Amino acid sequence: MGGRAIWWVMVMLAVAVVVGAAAGESRRQKQRDFVSSEGKHIMFVSLAVPSHIRPLNHMASELIGRGYRVSFAIPEEGRKMVNTGITVVSSGPSAVPPKELKHRFRIMSQESTAFRGILTSFNEVLLPSVMPMFKSLKPSIKQSPPDIMVIDIAALAGVMLAEEYDIPYVLNNPSLLFSPGESSATIPAWGSGFGTSMSLADRCLNAVFPRLLSLALIPSFMHLNRIRWDLFLDLYRSQHEVIRHAPILTDTVFGLEYPRPLPPLVKMVGPLLPAKLPQLSNSVTEWIRSAEPPVVLIHLGSMTY
């Protein structure tokens, strides 16, 4: 009897693997079929974080100019951040009010490493926003599902909705990805605060930093899987699977980032800027051109202090 039970469990697991693979291939085929289809509906999804909204704004405005129907799903607090002419779909109130969010980001950016900041972001910003955003957006997507979704990497509810309704999606990430648990002896670990000139002690710390971060994120990962269980979605088998199911646009380039091998689905597209840049006044332009030494402006974004 015990042998039959084990055999039955193995058959069910095999069926689950085959069905999961078929569903993944179906999503990939939809992504391929979407290319160059004017008039299709593209939905952008983001939390109310200016530095994450900005690149999506530029992309959305460009696609409207190319003939696509575009909507932007965002919490109420981010409605005013969306470019004029883009249809806004409310995803309810933010789990963390903007002032509180800005305060938390300010504290995190002053740490020598991003270790505690990453944990804070997951536990106090990303995870609390998942269920409220999912429930608020579900009726709109159920009634009129988009043809494809472009989802900010922090908007995990968007990913779950895309999976719920079998909608192809692309992730957008303003910075280079980090992979929990993966490390290199020469490349500074994401969030470690190290540069390329590391002492022997620094290299040792750099090597263990991603693994320590991966261990610290286990409770967050388990919480995320509990949410997926409640929504009847497939559970992630490891932390790596959270961001490895879809193509990922990364809004930066090597030179600003340390060169490293990239996963096959990651495409570095450089900073996303508006098609028409605002014109500087003649006096400012002349001052920049005549300055000695030359003026170089480095913009670190609205989350860095």
Side-chain angles (χ1 to χ4, degrees):
M1 190 67 178
R4 288 185 178 180
I6 293 173
W7 180 85
W8 179 249
V9 170
M10 291 178 66
V11 170
M12 293 301 293
L13 286 174
V15 170
V17 169
V18 171
V19 170
E25 179 58 32
S26 173
R27 282 192 293 269
R28 287 190 288 272
Q29 184 60 46
K30 286 186 177 182
Q31 286 166 335
R32 289 192 290 268
D33 293 343
F34 179 82
V35 176
S36 299
S37 301
E38 286 190 11
K40 295 288 188 178
H41 176 199
I42 307 172
M43 174 178 279
F44 289 78
V45 185
S46 178
L47 302 181
V49 180
S51 57
H52 286 238
I53 295 171
R54 196 169 293 115
L56 298 182
N57 255 335
H58 301 326
M59 198 187 311
S61 294
E62 176 67 21
L63 288 169
I64 288 177
R66 297 189 182 194
Y68 293 95
R69 292 188 296 116
V70 174
S71 62
F72 205 125
I74 195 167
E76 280 297 325
E77 292 83 351
R79 180 181 288 270
K80 294 181 179 179
M81 304 179 199
V82 178
N83 283 356
T84 303
I86 301 174
T87 301
V88 176
V89 179
S90 175
S91 60
S94 292
V96 181
K99 288 185 179 180
E100 176 63 22
L101 185 64
K102 187 174 182 179
H103 175 69
R104 292 182 188 182
F105 280 141
R106 182 165 194 154
I107 293 175
M108 287 187 287
S109 69
Q110 293 170 343
E111 301 280 350
S112 58
T113 73
F115 192 92
R116 286 194 296 180
I118 295 168
L119 297 182
T120 301
S121 296
F122 267 85
N123 296 326
E124 299 182 19
V125 179
L126 303 189
L127 291 179
S129 70
V130 173
M131 283 303 287
M133 193 173 195
F134 185 96
K135 291 179 179 178
S136 296
L137 276 180
K138 184 173 181 177
S140 299
I141 292 179
K142 183 178 181 180
Q143 181 179 1
S144 180
D147 295 289
I148 195 168
M149 298 172 71
V150 181
I151 305 168
D152 178 72
I153 200 161
L156 300 177
V159 174
M160 295 183 185
L161 284 163
E163 293 176 3
E164 173 84 7
Y165 292 100
D166 197 25
I167 301 170
Y169 65 95
V170 178
L171 295 176
N172 191 76
N173 189 26
S175 60
L176 191 58
L177 299 168
F178 94 102
S179 297
E182 294 183 359
S183 61
S184 166
T186 57
I187 301 173
W190 187 87
S192 67
F194 291 127
T196 51
S197 300
M198 291 182 281
S199 64
L200 180 59
D202 290 342
R203 290 185 185 278
C204 293
L205 290 173
N206 184 69
V208 300
F209 185 90
R211 292 174 172 82
L212 292 175
L213 183 58
S214 181
L215 288 173
L217 284 171
I218 287 176
S220 307
F221 176 72
M222 293 175 67
H223 184 181
L224 183 60
N225 259 345
R226 283 197 298 271
I227 294 174
R228 293 181 66 83
W229 174 271
D230 291 338
L231 298 175
F232 302 100
L233 296 173
D234 293 337
L235 303 184
Y236 293 130
R237 292 170 294 181
S238 74
Q239 295 178 13
H240 299 279
E241 291 190 359
V242 177
I243 55 176
R244 288 190 177 178
H245 286 300
I248 301 174
L249 305 178
T250 303
D251 310 333
T252 185
V253 291
F254 290 133
L256 297 177
E257 304 283 353
Y258 296 114
R260 67 192 68 194
L262 290 177
L265 292 180
V266 175
K267 177 68 174 178
M268 299 185 76
V269 297
L272 295 181
L273 302 173
K276 294 182 179 180
L277 296 175
Q279 295 295 318
L280 297 176
S281 66
N282 292 334
S283 59
V284 172
T285 302
E286 184 61 30
W287 174 73
I288 291 175
R289 289 175 176 171
S290 62
E292 290 292 342
V295 175
V296 177
L297 172 64
I298 301 176
H299 193 307
L300 298 177
S302 56
M303 289 166 56
T304 305
Y305 294 82

